[in-house]
Every structure is written in C-alpha cells, then in structure tokens.
C-alpha cells in the first residue's frame, strides 16, 4: 500500500471505519466484547489514519490499518449484531454509480446526514459511540452528546481531508438526480434499506438533500 496516493489511502481508512460503523449501529442488544473490539478498531483507524496523513511511509501505521481492515471486513465486529445496517453503503453506491467518486470519500460525505436522520431511533447507541469511540464528554443531554459524537466524526474526516458533504465531494446533484438515486437504492420504491431505521424513497431524498 506504499504506492497508494494519500487520497486513496484515506478513502481506504474511511471505508474500514465505515464497515465497522455499519455493524455497530444496530437496534439489537449487542455483546460487550463485540462492541469493545469494534470500538478499538475504530479508534485505531482514526489514530493511524492521522499518522499516515503526515507520514505515508510509516510501516507501523500501515500495518495497523491493514490489520484493522481484516478485523473490520471479516465479520468479527458484527458478531451478535444481526448483520448490521448498511444503509450508508447503499446510499453511497448510487452516488458512485451516477458520479465519478471514490467509494470511501462518498461514504464520508453522506454519513453525517444519515446519522442525524436516524439517531433518535436509539439515541443511547449514538451516545455510547460518542463517549467510547470519539471521546465526547457527557453533555447532560443524550441528544447533545450524540450530536457531538457525529460532529467529532466529521472533524476526523476533515483532518484526513475527506469530504463531509456532497459539495466537498465535488458533486452537486439536482433534485431529479437525487430522486433517481433514492429510487434506485430502493429498487423503485419496492423495498426499504437499513436496519437501524428502515428508509424508503422519501427518507433517502431527505438524507441526500441534507448531504448537499
């Protein structure tokens, strides 16, 4: 991976982070050990992605990222989570299908909008993530703590020069294009996507629009 340009390295780090997050944000009661593994994977990805931003030839950082990738993608961080959510991936796939964007960057651009849209389904999960992964102090209000965690993720993406909206991604879809992506993601409205909150066409239009 030494040959990868910085942008693609950080896209890869983002995708590893997101594969773990897709399995982490579930409505089911999860296993403590699974959560602990997932939380440490996410913290390590953020730590070493920042190091690689400054020192792309750092062997230890690349080794840690590759190991995090193996743990994130082999299903370990999804044990006991009933499969995970995966809405953010499906939302991004339609952006990637319509525009020439890198997958990891597309995920970073839409995750915050997805998170703010679904967080109230199980706010405690976002609070746990904010405190255990992002190091957010208890704000005395679950919603404020959860929102601070989402903002901290976006701050991390900015640190590694990943976009946090579609404008920063370099795309500005029209209303018609947004509806087309929402319809394609749901097979023309014949299914919902996601598990944390089941999302239909109109939900996705709102998420895409918020991510502009």
């Amino acid at each position: 991976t030494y040959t990868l340009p910085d942008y693609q390295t950080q896209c890869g780090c983002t995708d590893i982070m997101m594969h773990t997050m897709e399995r982490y944000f579930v409505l089911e009661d999860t296993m403590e050990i699974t959560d602990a593994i997932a939380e440490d994977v996410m913290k390590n990805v953020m730590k070493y992605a920042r190091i690689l931003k400054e020192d792309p030839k750092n062997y230890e950082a690349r080794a840690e990222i590759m190991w995090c990738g193996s743990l994130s993608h082999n299903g370990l961080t999804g044990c006991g989570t009933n499969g995970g959510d995966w809405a953010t991936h499906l939302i991004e796939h339609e952006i990637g299908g319509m525009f020439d964007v890198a997958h990891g960057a597309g995920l970073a651009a839409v995750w915050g909008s997805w998170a703010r849209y679904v967080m109230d389904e199980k706010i405690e999960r976002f609070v746990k993530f904010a405190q255990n992964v992002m190091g957010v102090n208890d704000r005395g209000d679950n919603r404020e703590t959860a929102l601070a965690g989402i903002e901290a993720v976006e701050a991390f993406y900015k640190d590694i020069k990943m976009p946090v909206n579609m404008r920063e991604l370099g795309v500005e879809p029209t209303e018609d294009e947004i509806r087309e992506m929402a319809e394609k993601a749901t097979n023309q409205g014949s299914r919902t996507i996601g598990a944390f909150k089941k999302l239909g066409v109109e939900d996705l239009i709102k998420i895409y629009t918020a991510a502009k």
Side-chain angles (χ1 to χ4, degrees):
T1 67
Y2 281 129
T3 62
L4 284 175
D6 175 67
Y7 184 76
Q8 291 298 334
T9 295
Q10 300 303 339
C11 283
C13 291
T14 300
D15 193 29
I16 294 168
M17 183 89 171
M18 278 301 314
H19 268 256
T20 312
M21 293 161 81
E22 294 277 26
R23 295 179 172 95
Y24 186 85
F25 287 105
V26 292
L27 297 177
E28 291 80 14
D29 291 333
T30 56
M31 298 182 70
E32 184 177 349
I33 186 63
T34 301
D35 280 355
I37 293 169
E39 288 165 2
D40 275 354
V41 165
M42 289 185 279
K43 286 188 287 188
N44 262 31
V45 170
M46 290 188 290
K47 174 183 177 179
Y48 288 104
R50 287 186 172 109
I51 291 173
L52 287 175
K53 188 72 187 169
E54 302 302 321
D55 182 12
K57 297 296 185 182
N58 188 303
Y59 177 83
E60 178 187 2
R62 289 197 176 269
E64 291 279 354
I65 289 294
M66 294 299 288
W67 182 222
C68 284
S70 295
L71 295 176
S72 177
H73 287 69
N74 71 5
L76 178 63
T77 59
C79 290
T81 68
N82 201 31
D85 182 77
W86 301 106
T88 305
H89 266 75
L90 293 172
I91 289 168
E92 192 287 323
H93 286 167
E94 298 307 326
I95 300 175
M98 184 173 286
F99 304 99
D100 182 20
V101 301
H103 176 58
L107 291 172
V110 298
W111 183 81
S113 296
W114 169 85
R116 291 181 178 90
Y117 192 80
V118 307
M119 58 184 281
D120 289 322
E121 296 297 308
K122 190 177 182 180
I123 196 73
E124 298 81 8
R125 194 66 175 161
F126 276 87
V127 169
K128 181 175 184 177
F129 170 81
Q131 294 177 325
N132 291 3
V133 179
M134 304 311 299
V136 172
N137 293 325
D138 185 359
R139 301 298 174 86
D141 177 85
N142 278 352
R143 208 162 193 282
E144 288 187 17
T145 304
L147 285 169
I150 295 168
E151 290 167 2
V153 173
E154 292 177 326
F156 160 68
Y157 287 150
K158 289 179 180 179
D159 282 349
I160 62 171
K161 299 297 187 286
M162 284 287 103
V164 296
N165 55 55
M166 288 194 282
R167 184 181 63 259
E168 292 180 5
L169 182 63
V171 301
E172 296 187 41
T174 64
E175 290 184 7
D176 287 343
E177 288 171 333
I178 285 174
R179 177 166 289 277
E180 181 181 345
M181 289 190 291
E183 290 178 347
K184 285 183 175 179
T186 59
N187 290 346
Q188 308 306 315
S190 65
R191 67 169 185 173
T192 58
I193 66 171
F196 197 86
K197 179 180 177 69
K198 295 185 183 303
L199 305 170
V201 171
E202 297 306 319
D203 298 302
L204 296 185
I205 288 173
K206 291 175 182 176
I207 292 170
Y208 280 123
T209 301
K212 288 181 70 175

